[in-house]
Amino acid sequence: MKISRTSNSNSMWGGRFAGGPAAVMREINASIAIDKRLWREDIAASRAHAAMLGQQGILTSDDAAAIDTGLQQVAAEIADGKLVEDPALEDIHMHVEHRLGELIGPAAGRLHTARSRNDQVATDFKLWVRGAIDEALAGIDLLEAALLARAEQHAATVMPGFTHLQSGQPVTLGHHLMAYREMLVRDRSRFVHARARMNECPLGSAALAGTGFPIDRAATALALGFDRPTANSLDAVSDRDFAVDYLHSAALAAVHCSRLAEEIILWASQPFGFVRLPDAWSTGSSIMPNKRNPDAAELVRGHSARIIGDLVGMLVLLKGLPLAYAKDLQDDKPVVFDAHDLLSLSLAAMAGMIANLEFVPEKMRTAAAAGHATATDLADWLAREADVPFREAHHIAGRAVAAAEAAGKPLDDLTLAELQAVDPRITHDALPCLAVESSVASRTSAGGTAPVRVQEAIAAARSK
Ligand code: ARG
């Protein structure tokens, strides 16, 4: 194979090279198309670094000031969409520095004193992930608000509660929605802890060993909103645990969205009919005019698979890397950017769907009553009011279910005579507890499905 070479050696690092890289070398090396998303962070970190170099007398105050003004101009240009991508300049760090050189001349070459792209990219990427966490938290807040609002409307709406996707006991829709709110509370906590754990500044670790210049790492850390500088330069330039923490938090939040999406998909299906998706959240079919498809929910379910893949990809990327930086680490960004974009969309879509779903309480109530869902209530009544040991009470209630099935009607339609034929200890007082409303109302244990408990849970959530 003929290797086509580019002519000039690299202007940033090519001192020891006689010729340019192979065209494919240049192509595989360039990350600008992806890491341009770090431009804000790159400029912020460079400004903090230059200011510190000036403070420490490592740069003259004139040079530090020229660099700062120049970096602000570069930022304005990029914000205006004027970044000129050049694969020869590899990544966002060299693009910014190169443009700075065009704007302010040789002083730009002093910006890279006492730093390396290795500590630079670790710093930029951490700043970006920190911002992504803040966005995820905002998305979680919106979905939580939607869940709380709908749970409040439906604190007493009865629906079937399932185990094994078989009707188990009646529950309230409010309780069901609040279960997802609990998942979001844990998601929020995971993101908050990830943010706190990662908030140490790698800048000043330089290539891998630190630097001999009298830098002030505490100053740059503070300027960039970090709690402190990182403690070990080798770790700092090769650590991507923060990205893993982010991806893990994102993957689990996406799994929660996916589970809720799956419920919506089931509920919107004709056999369930528990919800109707409004037009704004449905799509049609190009062949079947009757269709109303829950595509957004299905895509949320699908996106969770991709976000899980992003997490796994990041872990596999790291597992074989010796200290310190290796170029494999350039592949840390696509997975994180992908997860961020997908999670933002997923949280927003879930919030929109939850806020706008039309619930169909009659369908839910009918389904809740089907499957003899109050059999446990009959057993509980026998144990509580007739002093029957629960195991025996369970057996009696089971025979009552068999009797209902033989009679071809639901348990709560059996007459007193029919129930007493099963066991004479069942009295008239037992009948009300067979209704789904009294079943849910009776589940008043802490964390239970009774409407009063659901209202309390909503109030507690709102007061947080
Ligand atoms: N573009 C690189 C990355 O994202 C920046 C660090 C490059 N460092 C190096 N020594 N080549 O990882």
Side-chain angles (χ1 to χ4, degrees), residues 200-203 217-218 221 226-231:
E200 296 183 336
C201 185
L203 197 60
R217 293 193 58 209
F226 289 104
D227 297 327
R228 63 191 81 84
T230 51

Side-chain angles (χ1 to χ4, degrees), residues 175 443-449 453 456:
H175 195 53
R443 301 276 190 268
T444 52
S445 56
T449 198
R453 290 291 96 85
E456 278 170 16

Side-chain angles (χ1 to χ4, degrees), residues 31 35 90-91 93 117-118 121 240 325 327 329-330 332-333:
S31 57
D35 62 27
E90 297 181 16
D91 54 26
H93 323 294
R117 273 188 293 159
N118 297 349
V121 73
R240 296 294 183 272
Y325 178 86
K327 199 64 172 261
L329 289 175
Q330 184 162 281
D332 58 2
K333 284 163 222 79

Side-chain angles (χ1 to χ4, degrees), residues 114-127:
R115 82 173 183 188
S116 151
R117 273 188 293 159
N118 297 349
D119 60 339
Q120 197 180 351
V121 73
T123 305
D124 293 1
F125 195 31
K126 260 194 183 180
L127 289 170

Side-chain angles (χ1 to χ4, degrees), residues 336-353:
V336 169
F337 292 160
D338 183 59
H340 163 270
D341 297 347
L342 295 174
L343 182 65
S344 298
L345 265 175
S346 297
L347 288 167
M350 291 314 296
M353 280 187 282

Side-chain angles (χ1 to χ4, degrees), residues 169-287:
Q169 297 171 344
V171 294
T172 50
L173 175 56
H175 195 53
H176 194 115
L177 295 173
M178 287 297 281
Y180 283 94
R181 187 257 167 188
E182 289 301 305
M183 299 179 215
L184 294 185
V185 169
R186 294 192 293 271
D187 290 330
R188 181 184 290 127
S189 147
R190 253 182 299 279
F191 276 118
V192 165
H193 282 97
R195 193 186 195 288
R197 189 160 40 241
M198 65 171 270
N199 208 29
E200 296 183 336
C201 185
L203 197 60
S205 299
L208 73 164
T211 175
F213 288 96
I215 59 173
D216 181 352
R217 293 193 58 209
T220 42
L222 183 71
L224 294 169
F226 289 104
D227 297 327
R228 63 191 81 84
T230 51
N232 180 300
S233 61
L234 289 167
D235 176 54
V237 295
S238 64
D239 167 43
R240 296 294 183 272
D241 292 3
F242 62 93
V244 175
D245 274 350
Y246 168 75
L247 288 167
H248 166 235
S249 308
L252 197 40
V255 164
H256 294 149
C257 287
S258 178
R259 293 182 70 180
L260 183 52
E262 168 67 11
E263 305 252 28
I264 292 174
I265 294 161
L266 281 173
W267 293 349
S269 70
Q270 283 71 19
F272 273 82
F274 290 2
V275 298
R276 190 182 143 82
L277 270 176
D279 287 356
W281 293 98
S282 310
T283 51
S285 156
S286 52
I287 175 169

